[in-house]
């Protein structure tokens, strides 16, 4: 019997936030995988809290979502359109 052991609560919260952000953009895992270049299994493991994300992976995902780290960590601070209040963010990085 395989038992999934979740990481720390912060990893779980980050995964839940990633899922909410992805879904708010109307994307499924396959769409986000195609846009970000991050594998579907990796995305699923991140969202389920089964994998600790690398910062570079988070940035690739956020860039694909045209979102900012603030959208992920502080969604209540974004504008009603879902965009951060500033005009420059992680989605502008060339990674």
């Amino acid at each position: 019997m395989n038992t999934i052991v979740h990481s720390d609560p912060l990893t779980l919260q980050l995964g839940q936030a990633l899922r909410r952000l992805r879904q708010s953009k109307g994307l499924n895992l396959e769409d986000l995988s195609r846009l970000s270049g991050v594998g579907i299994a990796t995305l699923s493991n991140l969202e389920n809290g089964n994998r600790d994300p690398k910062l570079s992976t988070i940035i690739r995902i956020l860039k694909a979502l045209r979102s900012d780290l603030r959208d992920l960590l502080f969604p209540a601070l974004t504008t009603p359109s879902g965009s951060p209040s500033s005009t420059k963010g992680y989605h502008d990085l060339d990674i």
Side-chain angles (χ1 to χ4, degrees):
M1 181 173 138
N2 291 338
T3 303
I4 296 176
V5 178
H6 291 289
S7 299
D8 63 78
L10 183 60
T11 301
L12 288 171
Q13 290 174 350
L14 182 62
Q16 292 166 352
L18 275 171
R19 178 178 285 126
R20 281 192 301 272
L21 185 57
R22 174 183 56 79
Q23 291 174 338
S24 76
K25 302 291 184 173
L27 300 173
N28 61 32
L29 287 172
E30 184 178 337
D31 296 331
L32 183 54
S33 176
R34 183 176 36 80
L35 292 170
S36 67
V38 177
I40 294 172
T42 298
L43 292 169
S44 178
N45 282 325
L46 290 171
E47 288 187 359
N48 290 313
N50 296 327
R51 184 175 181 143
D52 291 326
K54 293 180 183 178
L55 182 57
S56 60
T57 302
I58 293 295
I59 291 172
R60 287 172 60 192
I61 293 168
L62 290 173
K63 185 175 178 181
L65 292 170
R66 303 290 299 161
S67 295
D68 191 276
L69 189 58
R70 290 169 292 185
D71 296 328
L72 182 62
L73 300 177
F74 310 106
L77 299 180
T78 58
T79 61
S81 68
S83 299
S85 57
S86 71
T87 58
K88 188 160 179 74
Y90 289 97
H91 49 65
D92 297 314
L93 296 176
D94 290 323
I95 294 181

